[in-house]
Amino acid sequence: MKEIKIESTLQVFESLDELPPEVYSLMQNAIKARKGAYSPYSKFSVGAAILLDNNKIITGNNQENASFPSGLCAERTAIYYAGSQFPDSKIRIIAICAGSLKVPTTTPIPPCGACRQAIAEYEIKQKSPVEIYFKGELGHIAKSNSLENLLPFMFDKSVL
Ligand code: THU
């Protein structure tokens, strides 16, 4: 028997002002996108903004449904739009802003497992890392240098 240890490293920014200028602006897009979320059931709204290597910004937000599993997270709404409209562009950065509509959310909210799997697909496809910045409504911002860092032992096409 041997033990395998996997470590992930995140960076933490104390406030929006600490972010690199292009990320500050991308996060403003995510904050704005969050306002368009349709989340009457969970009352938890999420906005995502994607910066492509052609400098286009794609945004998305969570869209819920009375049939709960039919809804979609903000990150996948945005990434599938990016993938469908700009199939030859690489995703450089994703900024995410998420929080409850009932109580202030003060910790960074990372993408859910299904969204991590979706982002992983594009990271593998484009052969370059996707930087992910995520925040709550208030408080600090966390950054992962790649999706792989958020999803160790990921399932990928190498086994198909
Ligand atoms: N949600 C997202 O949009 N992204 C995530 O990564 C986590 C969860 C949405 C789905 C649902 O509309 C609400 O947040 C509560 O789970």
Side-chain angles (χ1 to χ4, degrees):
M1 195 277 274
K2 66 173 181 176
E3 212 169 62
I4 300 170
K5 189 172 174 190
I6 296 179
E7 286 185 343
S8 288
T9 304
L10 295 178
Q11 287 83 42
V12 176
F13 297 80
E14 284 309 317
S15 73
L16 287 170
D17 295 331
E18 258 190 45
L19 295 173
E22 69 176 356
V23 180
Y24 177 92
S25 141
L26 193 66
M27 191 57 90
Q28 294 299 338
N29 278 269
I31 291 167
K32 189 171 169 208
R34 182 177 166 232
K35 297 192 171 102
Y38 176 60
S39 55
Y41 303 106
S42 72
K43 307 220 181 310
F44 190 86
S45 62
V46 186
I50 293 177
L51 179 64
L52 299 176
D53 66 351
N54 63 8
N55 283 326
K56 286 206 182 318
I57 290 178
I58 307 297
T59 62
N61 44 42
N62 53 326
Q63 296 294 317
E64 297 186 350
N65 193 284
S67 171
F68 292 0
S70 300
L72 195 63
C73 291
E75 296 89 330
R76 277 175 289 160
T77 301
I79 208 167
Y80 289 144
Y81 183 84
S84 64
Q85 299 302 306
F86 302 100
D88 301 323
S89 296
K90 292 186 180 188
I91 295 167
R92 285 188 48 221
I93 311 173
I94 302 182
I96 303 160
C97 176
S100 167
L101 301 175
K102 296 177 284 190
V103 291
T105 300
T106 57
T107 55
I109 306 296
C112 76
C115 288
R116 292 182 204 198
Q117 184 69 32
I119 299 166
E121 186 70 26
Y122 291 89
E123 190 166 271
I124 293 163
K125 176 188 171 214
Q126 69 186 31
K127 301 189 181 72
S128 64
V130 176
E131 292 181 6
I132 302 161
Y133 290 79
F134 48 98
K135 71 187 286 291
E137 188 184 347
L138 305 169
H140 53 287
I141 301 116
K143 177 198 175 190
S144 173
N145 285 329
S146 73
L147 185 281
E148 193 178 10
N149 193 43
L150 293 181
L151 192 61
F153 281 121
M154 71 174 68
F155 180 85
D156 65 36
K157 64 181 180 181
S158 64
V159 295
L160 297 179

